[in-house]
PDB file of all heavy atoms in Angstrom:
ATOM      1  N   PHE A   1      18.599  13.767   5.694  1.00  0.00           N
ATOM      2  CA  PHE A   1      19.248  13.413   6.961  1.00  0.00           C
ATOM      3  C   PHE A   1      18.262  12.640   7.814  1.00  0.00           C
ATOM      4  O   PHE A   1      17.049  12.734   7.652  1.00  0.00           O
ATOM      5  CB  PHE A   1      19.775  14.647   7.722  1.00  0.00           C
ATOM      6  CG  PHE A   1      18.717  15.619   8.185  1.00  0.00           C
ATOM      7  CD1 PHE A   1      18.038  15.428   9.380  1.00  0.00           C
ATOM      8  CD2 PHE A   1      18.426  16.756   7.439  1.00  0.00           C
ATOM      9  CE1 PHE A   1      17.081  16.332   9.814  1.00  0.00           C
ATOM     10  CE2 PHE A   1      17.469  17.662   7.871  1.00  0.00           C
ATOM     11  CZ  PHE A   1      16.793  17.453   9.058  1.00  0.00           C
ATOM     12  N   ARG A   2      18.840  11.849   8.704  1.00  0.00           N
ATOM     13  CA  ARG A   2      18.047  11.120   9.678  1.00  0.00           C
ATOM     14  C   ARG A   2      18.834  11.087  10.982  1.00  0.00           C
ATOM     15  O   ARG A   2      19.913  10.516  11.026  1.00  0.00           O
ATOM     16  CB  ARG A   2      17.756   9.696   9.199  1.00  0.00           C
ATOM     17  CG  ARG A   2      16.785   9.001  10.141  1.00  0.00           C
ATOM     18  CD  ARG A   2      16.386   7.618   9.705  1.00  0.00           C
ATOM     19  NE  ARG A   2      15.479   7.082  10.714  1.00  0.00           N
ATOM     20  CZ  ARG A   2      15.281   5.800  10.913  1.00  0.00           C
ATOM     21  NH1 ARG A   2      15.926   4.913  10.187  1.00  0.00           N
ATOM     22  NH2 ARG A   2      14.452   5.401  11.851  1.00  0.00           N
ATOM     23  N   ARG A   3      18.307  11.741  11.972  1.00  0.00           N
ATOM     24  CA  ARG A   3      18.927  11.886  13.287  1.00  0.00           C
ATOM     25  C   ARG A   3      19.902  13.061  13.295  1.00  0.00           C
ATOM     26  O   ARG A   3      20.742  13.206  12.421  1.00  0.00           O
ATOM     27  CB  ARG A   3      19.645  10.609  13.753  1.00  0.00           C
ATOM     28  CG  ARG A   3      18.708   9.429  13.899  1.00  0.00           C
ATOM     29  CD  ARG A   3      19.453   8.182  14.317  1.00  0.00           C
ATOM     30  NE  ARG A   3      20.097   8.345  15.618  1.00  0.00           N
ATOM     31  CZ  ARG A   3      19.493   8.180  16.793  1.00  0.00           C
ATOM     32  NH1 ARG A   3      18.197   7.855  16.827  1.00  0.00           N
ATOM     33  NH2 ARG A   3      20.163   8.304  17.928  1.00  0.00           N
ATOM     34  N   ALA A   4      19.732  13.912  14.308  1.00  0.00           N
ATOM     35  CA  ALA A   4      20.591  15.079  14.499  1.00  0.00           C
ATOM     36  C   ALA A   4      21.054  15.137  15.945  1.00  0.00           C
ATOM     37  O   ALA A   4      20.453  14.515  16.829  1.00  0.00           O
ATOM     38  CB  ALA A   4      19.843  16.358  14.125  1.00  0.00           C
ATOM     39  N   ARG A   5      22.078  15.917  16.158  1.00  0.00           N
ATOM     40  CA  ARG A   5      22.660  16.028  17.494  1.00  0.00           C
ATOM     41  C   ARG A   5      21.855  17.039  18.311  1.00  0.00           C
ATOM     42  O   ARG A   5      22.255  18.189  18.508  1.00  0.00           O
ATOM     43  CB  ARG A   5      24.120  16.461  17.389  1.00  0.00           C
ATOM     44  CG  ARG A   5      24.933  16.207  18.676  1.00  0.00           C
ATOM     45  CD  ARG A   5      26.307  16.838  18.563  1.00  0.00           C
ATOM     46  NE  ARG A   5      27.020  16.411  17.376  1.00  0.00           N
ATOM     47  CZ  ARG A   5      27.735  15.283  17.297  1.00  0.00           C
ATOM     48  NH1 ARG A   5      27.831  14.487  18.334  1.00  0.00           N
ATOM     49  NH2 ARG A   5      28.357  14.971  16.184  1.00  0.00           N
ATOM     50  N   ILE A   6      20.698  16.602  18.806  1.00  0.00           N
ATOM     51  CA  ILE A   6      19.807  17.476  19.541  1.00  0.00           C
ATOM     52  C   ILE A   6      18.889  16.645  20.418  1.00  0.00           C
ATOM     53  O   ILE A   6      18.488  15.535  20.055  1.00  0.00           O
ATOM     54  CB  ILE A   6      18.951  18.342  18.565  1.00  0.00           C
ATOM     55  CG1 ILE A   6      17.953  19.203  19.338  1.00  0.00           C
ATOM     56  CG2 ILE A   6      18.246  17.475  17.537  1.00  0.00           C
ATOM     57  CD1 ILE A   6      17.103  20.098  18.467  1.00  0.00           C
ATOM     58  N   GLN A   7      18.567  17.190  21.573  1.00  0.00           N
ATOM     59  CA  GLN A   7      17.500  16.652  22.409  1.00  0.00           C
ATOM     60  C   GLN A   7      16.570  17.805  22.777  1.00  0.00           C
ATOM     61  O   GLN A   7      17.055  18.890  23.111  1.00  0.00           O
ATOM     62  CB  GLN A   7      18.062  16.033  23.687  1.00  0.00           C
ATOM     63  CG  GLN A   7      18.742  14.700  23.491  1.00  0.00           C
ATOM     64  CD  GLN A   7      19.223  14.097  24.801  1.00  0.00           C
ATOM     65  OE1 GLN A   7      19.581  14.810  25.723  1.00  0.00           O
ATOM     66  NE2 GLN A   7      19.237  12.785  24.873  1.00  0.00           N
ATOM     67  N   PRO A   8      15.278  17.605  22.677  1.00  0.00           N
ATOM     68  CA  PRO A   8      14.600  16.398  22.196  1.00  0.00           C
ATOM     69  C   PRO A   8      14.490  16.397  20.669  1.00  0.00           C
ATOM     70  O   PRO A   8      14.747  17.396  20.024  1.00  0.00           O
ATOM     71  CB  PRO A   8      13.218  16.543  22.831  1.00  0.00           C
ATOM     72  CG  PRO A   8      12.988  18.022  22.836  1.00  0.00           C
ATOM     73  CD  PRO A   8      14.327  18.645  23.122  1.00  0.00           C
ATOM     74  N   GLY A   9      14.089  15.246  20.142  1.00  0.00           N
ATOM     75  CA  GLY A   9      13.841  15.129  18.717  1.00  0.00           C
ATOM     76  C   GLY A   9      15.014  14.634  17.908  1.00  0.00           C
ATOM     77  O   GLY A   9      15.086  14.898  16.697  1.00  0.00           O
ATOM     78  N   THR A  10      15.912  13.878  18.515  1.00  0.00           N
ATOM     79  CA  THR A  10      17.077  13.350  17.796  1.00  0.00           C
ATOM     80  C   THR A  10      16.697  12.631  16.494  1.00  0.00           C
ATOM     81  O   THR A  10      17.385  12.792  15.483  1.00  0.00           O
ATOM     82  CB  THR A  10      17.874  12.394  18.707  1.00  0.00           C
ATOM     83  OG1 THR A  10      18.178  13.056  19.933  1.00  0.00           O
ATOM     84  CG2 THR A  10      19.164  11.940  18.048  1.00  0.00           C
ATOM     85  N   PRO A  11      15.594  11.831  16.442  1.00  0.00           N
ATOM     86  CA  PRO A  11      15.298  11.072  15.218  1.00  0.00           C
ATOM     87  C   PRO A  11      14.696  11.885  14.071  1.00  0.00           C
ATOM     88  O   PRO A  11      14.359  11.301  13.032  1.00  0.00           O
ATOM     89  CB  PRO A  11      14.280  10.022  15.699  1.00  0.00           C
ATOM     90  CG  PRO A  11      14.333  10.033  17.180  1.00  0.00           C
ATOM     91  CD  PRO A  11      14.706  11.414  17.557  1.00  0.00           C
ATOM     92  N   THR A  12      14.536  13.187  14.240  1.00  0.00           N
ATOM     93  CA  THR A  12      13.944  13.986  13.164  1.00  0.00           C
ATOM     94  C   THR A  12      14.593  13.649  11.820  1.00  0.00           C
ATOM     95  O   THR A  12      15.821  13.559  11.710  1.00  0.00           O
ATOM     96  CB  THR A  12      14.101  15.487  13.459  1.00  0.00           C
ATOM     97  OG1 THR A  12      13.358  15.803  14.636  1.00  0.00           O
ATOM     98  CG2 THR A  12      13.599  16.336  12.305  1.00  0.00           C
ATOM     99  N   THR A  13      13.752  13.490  10.819  1.00  0.00           N
ATOM    100  CA  THR A  13      14.193  13.056   9.490  1.00  0.00           C
ATOM    101  C   THR A  13      13.692  14.036   8.438  1.00  0.00           C
ATOM    102  O   THR A  13      12.591  14.578   8.558  1.00  0.00           O
ATOM    103  CB  THR A  13      13.644  11.644   9.193  1.00  0.00           C
ATOM    104  OG1 THR A  13      14.174  10.726  10.158  1.00  0.00           O
ATOM    105  CG2 THR A  13      14.018  11.181   7.794  1.00  0.00           C
ATOM    106  N   ALA A  14      14.490  14.265   7.410  1.00  0.00           N
ATOM    107  CA  ALA A  14      14.058  15.110   6.297  1.00  0.00           C
ATOM    108  C   ALA A  14      14.322  14.389   4.991  1.00  0.00           C
ATOM    109  O   ALA A  14      15.346  13.718   4.827  1.00  0.00           O
ATOM    110  CB  ALA A  14      14.769  16.448   6.323  1.00  0.00           C
ATOM    111  N   SER A  15      13.396  14.541   4.068  1.00  0.00           N
ATOM    112  CA  SER A  15      13.534  13.887   2.766  1.00  0.00           C
ATOM    113  C   SER A  15      12.906  14.768   1.694  1.00  0.00           C
ATOM    114  O   SER A  15      12.234  15.769   1.988  1.00  0.00           O
ATOM    115  CB  SER A  15      12.853  12.509   2.793  1.00  0.00           C
ATOM    116  OG  SER A  15      11.495  12.630   3.198  1.00  0.00           O
ATOM    117  N   VAL A  16      13.134  14.381   0.443  1.00  0.00           N
ATOM    118  CA  VAL A  16      12.608  15.133  -0.694  1.00  0.00           C
ATOM    119  C   VAL A  16      11.957  14.156  -1.661  1.00  0.00           C
ATOM    120  O   VAL A  16      12.516  13.106  -1.983  1.00  0.00           O
ATOM    121  CB  VAL A  16      13.731  15.891  -1.439  1.00  0.00           C
ATOM    122  CG1 VAL A  16      13.166  16.651  -2.633  1.00  0.00           C
ATOM    123  CG2 VAL A  16      14.437  16.856  -0.507  1.00  0.00           C
ATOM    124  N   LYS A  17      10.772  14.529  -2.123  1.00  0.00           N
ATOM    125  CA  LYS A  17      10.077  13.753  -3.150  1.00  0.00           C
ATOM    126  C   LYS A  17       9.492  14.727  -4.167  1.00  0.00           C
ATOM    127  O   LYS A  17       8.727  15.620  -3.814  1.00  0.00           O
ATOM    128  CB  LYS A  17       8.970  12.896  -2.517  1.00  0.00           C
ATOM    129  CG  LYS A  17       8.087  12.166  -3.510  1.00  0.00           C
ATOM    130  CD  LYS A  17       8.855  11.139  -4.358  1.00  0.00           C
ATOM    131  CE  LYS A  17       7.902  10.388  -5.288  1.00  0.00           C
ATOM    132  NZ  LYS A  17       8.627   9.465  -6.192  1.00  0.00           N
ATOM    133  N   ASP A  18       9.874  14.534  -5.425  1.00  0.00           N
ATOM    134  CA  ASP A  18       9.388  15.392  -6.515  1.00  0.00           C
ATOM    135  C   ASP A  18       9.614  16.871  -6.206  1.00  0.00           C
ATOM    136  O   ASP A  18       8.755  17.725  -6.469  1.00  0.00           O
ATOM    137  CB  ASP A  18       7.898  15.131  -6.784  1.00  0.00           C
ATOM    138  CG  ASP A  18       7.623  13.709  -7.226  1.00  0.00           C
ATOM    139  OD1 ASP A  18       8.528  13.099  -7.840  1.00  0.00           O
ATOM    140  OD2 ASP A  18       6.524  13.188  -6.942  1.00  0.00           O
ATOM    141  N   GLY A  19      10.768  17.182  -5.635  1.00  0.00           N
ATOM    142  CA  GLY A  19      11.123  18.562  -5.364  1.00  0.00           C
ATOM    143  C   GLY A  19      10.483  19.168  -4.128  1.00  0.00           C
ATOM    144  O   GLY A  19      10.707  20.345  -3.839  1.00  0.00           O
ATOM    145  N   LYS A  20       9.706  18.375  -3.393  1.00  0.00           N
ATOM    146  CA  LYS A  20       9.030  18.882  -2.206  1.00  0.00           C
ATOM    147  C   LYS A  20       9.619  18.258  -0.946  1.00  0.00           C
ATOM    148  O   LYS A  20       9.865  17.054  -0.899  1.00  0.00           O
ATOM    149  CB  LYS A  20       7.532  18.593  -2.279  1.00  0.00           C
ATOM    150  CG  LYS A  20       6.836  19.310  -3.434  1.00  0.00           C
ATOM    151  CD  LYS A  20       5.344  18.999  -3.464  1.00  0.00           C
ATOM    152  CE  LYS A  20       4.660  19.720  -4.614  1.00  0.00           C
ATOM    153  NZ  LYS A  20       3.201  19.437  -4.658  1.00  0.00           N
ATOM    154  N   LEU A  21       9.821  19.091   0.062  1.00  0.00           N
ATOM    155  CA  LEU A  21      10.397  18.615   1.312  1.00  0.00           C
ATOM    156  C   LEU A  21       9.363  17.886   2.154  1.00  0.00           C
ATOM    157  O   LEU A  21       8.195  18.289   2.220  1.00  0.00           O
ATOM    158  CB  LEU A  21      10.949  19.782   2.115  1.00  0.00           C
ATOM    159  CG  LEU A  21      12.241  20.444   1.622  1.00  0.00           C
ATOM    160  CD1 LEU A  21      12.615  21.592   2.543  1.00  0.00           C
ATOM    161  CD2 LEU A  21      13.374  19.435   1.554  1.00  0.00           C
ATOM    162  N   ILE A  22       9.813  16.836   2.814  1.00  0.00           N
ATOM    163  CA  ILE A  22       9.020  16.150   3.836  1.00  0.00           C
ATOM    164  C   ILE A  22       9.830  16.224   5.124  1.00  0.00           C
ATOM    165  O   ILE A  22      10.948  15.707   5.203  1.00  0.00           O
ATOM    166  CB  ILE A  22       8.762  14.677   3.475  1.00  0.00           C
ATOM    167  CG1 ILE A  22       8.078  14.568   2.106  1.00  0.00           C
ATOM    168  CG2 ILE A  22       7.912  14.008   4.555  1.00  0.00           C
ATOM    169  CD1 ILE A  22       8.009  13.138   1.572  1.00  0.00           C
ATOM    170  N   LEU A  23       9.292  16.906   6.120  1.00  0.00           N
ATOM    171  CA  LEU A  23       9.959  17.057   7.411  1.00  0.00           C
ATOM    172  C   LEU A  23       9.231  16.164   8.407  1.00  0.00           C
ATOM    173  O   LEU A  23       8.063  16.406   8.730  1.00  0.00           O
ATOM    174  CB  LEU A  23       9.910  18.521   7.863  1.00  0.00           C
ATOM    175  CG  LEU A  23      10.625  18.873   9.166  1.00  0.00           C
ATOM    176  CD1 LEU A  23      12.110  18.544   9.082  1.00  0.00           C
ATOM    177  CD2 LEU A  23      10.423  20.345   9.501  1.00  0.00           C
ATOM    178  N   SER A  24       9.909  15.126   8.879  1.00  0.00           N
ATOM    179  CA  SER A  24       9.293  14.122   9.744  1.00  0.00           C
ATOM    180  C   SER A  24       9.768  14.325  11.176  1.00  0.00           C
ATOM    181  O   SER A  24      10.944  14.122  11.488  1.00  0.00           O
ATOM    182  CB  SER A  24       9.634  12.711   9.247  1.00  0.00           C
ATOM    183  OG  SER A  24       9.116  12.520   7.942  1.00  0.00           O
ATOM    184  N   LEU A  25       8.827  14.732  12.038  1.00  0.00           N
ATOM    185  CA  LEU A  25       9.128  15.094  13.417  1.00  0.00           C
ATOM    186  C   LEU A  25       8.717  13.988  14.383  1.00  0.00           C
ATOM    187  O   LEU A  25       7.929  13.106  14.045  1.00  0.00           O
ATOM    188  CB  LEU A  25       8.379  16.383  13.794  1.00  0.00           C
ATOM    189  CG  LEU A  25       8.545  17.580  12.865  1.00  0.00           C
ATOM    190  CD1 LEU A  25       7.628  18.713  13.294  1.00  0.00           C
ATOM    191  CD2 LEU A  25       9.991  18.041  12.828  1.00  0.00           C
ATOM    192  N   SER A  26       9.212  14.082  15.592  1.00  0.00           N
ATOM    193  CA  SER A  26       8.817  13.158  16.655  1.00  0.00           C
ATOM    194  C   SER A  26       7.323  13.290  16.939  1.00  0.00           C
ATOM    195  O   SER A  26       6.711  14.339  16.717  1.00  0.00           O
ATOM    196  CB  SER A  26       9.614  13.483  17.924  1.00  0.00           C
ATOM    197  OG  SER A  26       9.093  12.796  19.034  1.00  0.00           O
ATOM    198  N   GLY A  27       6.745  12.222  17.473  1.00  0.00           N
ATOM    199  CA  GLY A  27       5.348  12.272  17.897  1.00  0.00           C
ATOM    200  C   GLY A  27       5.161  12.880  19.271  1.00  0.00           C
ATOM    201  O   GLY A  27       4.037  13.227  19.653  1.00  0.00           O
ATOM    202  N   ASN A  28       6.247  13.029  20.047  1.00  0.00           N
ATOM    203  CA  ASN A  28       6.148  13.715  21.335  1.00  0.00           C
ATOM    204  C   ASN A  28       5.948  15.200  21.089  1.00  0.00           C
ATOM    205  O   ASN A  28       6.725  15.829  20.360  1.00  0.00           O
ATOM    206  CB  ASN A  28       7.424  13.500  22.160  1.00  0.00           C
ATOM    207  CG  ASN A  28       7.452  12.130  22.800  1.00  0.00           C
ATOM    208  OD1 ASN A  28       6.438  11.643  23.289  1.00  0.00           O
ATOM    209  ND2 ASN A  28       8.613  11.481  22.776  1.00  0.00           N
ATOM    210  N   PRO A  29       4.910  15.792  21.681  1.00  0.00           N
ATOM    211  CA  PRO A  29       4.563  17.178  21.334  1.00  0.00           C
ATOM    212  C   PRO A  29       5.707  18.172  21.503  1.00  0.00           C
ATOM    213  O   PRO A  29       5.962  18.980  20.613  1.00  0.00           O
ATOM    214  CB  PRO A  29       3.396  17.491  22.267  1.00  0.00           C
ATOM    215  CG  PRO A  29       2.767  16.170  22.542  1.00  0.00           C
ATOM    216  CD  PRO A  29       3.908  15.190  22.588  1.00  0.00           C
ATOM    217  N   TYR A  30       6.398  18.149  22.644  1.00  0.00           N
ATOM    218  CA  TYR A  30       7.447  19.146  22.852  1.00  0.00           C
ATOM    219  C   TYR A  30       8.589  18.949  21.863  1.00  0.00           C
ATOM    220  O   TYR A  30       9.116  19.915  21.301  1.00  0.00           O
ATOM    221  CB  TYR A  30       7.980  19.086  24.286  1.00  0.00           C
ATOM    222  CG  TYR A  30       9.069  20.098  24.543  1.00  0.00           C
ATOM    223  CD1 TYR A  30       8.789  21.459  24.560  1.00  0.00           C
ATOM    224  CD2 TYR A  30      10.390  19.697  24.736  1.00  0.00           C
ATOM    225  CE1 TYR A  30       9.783  22.398  24.775  1.00  0.00           C
ATOM    226  CE2 TYR A  30      11.392  20.623  24.953  1.00  0.00           C
ATOM    227  CZ  TYR A  30      11.101  21.972  24.976  1.00  0.00           C
ATOM    228  OH  TYR A  30      12.082  22.897  25.176  1.00  0.00           O
ATOM    229  N   ALA A  31       8.972  17.702  21.628  1.00  0.00           N
ATOM    230  CA  ALA A  31      10.034  17.437  20.655  1.00  0.00           C
ATOM    231  C   ALA A  31       9.628  17.904  19.265  1.00  0.00           C
ATOM    232  O   ALA A  31      10.439  18.463  18.513  1.00  0.00           O
ATOM    233  CB  ALA A  31      10.359  15.947  20.634  1.00  0.00           C
ATOM    234  N   ALA A  32       8.367  17.697  18.913  1.00  0.00           N
ATOM    235  CA  ALA A  32       7.875  18.150  17.605  1.00  0.00           C
ATOM    236  C   ALA A  32       7.935  19.666  17.507  1.00  0.00           C
ATOM    237  O   ALA A  32       8.361  20.225  16.488  1.00  0.00           O
ATOM    238  CB  ALA A  32       6.455  17.651  17.375  1.00  0.00           C
ATOM    239  N   ILE A  33       7.519  20.362  18.571  1.00  0.00           N
ATOM    240  CA  ILE A  33       7.539  21.829  18.575  1.00  0.00           C
ATOM    241  C   ILE A  33       8.961  22.352  18.402  1.00  0.00           C
ATOM    242  O   ILE A  33       9.226  23.248  17.593  1.00  0.00           O
ATOM    243  CB  ILE A  33       6.914  22.369  19.872  1.00  0.00           C
ATOM    244  CG1 ILE A  33       5.413  22.089  19.895  1.00  0.00           C
ATOM    245  CG2 ILE A  33       7.174  23.863  20.016  1.00  0.00           C
ATOM    246  CD1 ILE A  33       4.765  22.343  21.248  1.00  0.00           C
TER     247      ILE A  33
END
C-alpha cells in the first residue's frame, strides 16, 4: 500500500522484498512515531 486515510503520515508506504517487510514512514518525527 501507499498512502492511508490518516493524519499525520498519510504517505506511509509498505512493501515486501524477498519475504521481508519494508515499512516506509514519514520523515517528520511525530508522523513517524
Side-chain angles (χ1 to χ4, degrees):
F1 64 85
R2 187 177 179 203
R3 298 178 62 83
R5 197 188 306 276
I6 177 179
Q7 286 183 329
T10 307
T12 296
T13 298
S15 55
V16 179
K17 174 63 177 176
D18 298 331
K20 296 180 180 180
L21 287 179
I22 304 170
L23 183 60
S24 298
L25 308 174
S26 169
N28 282 320
Y30 180 68
I33 291 169

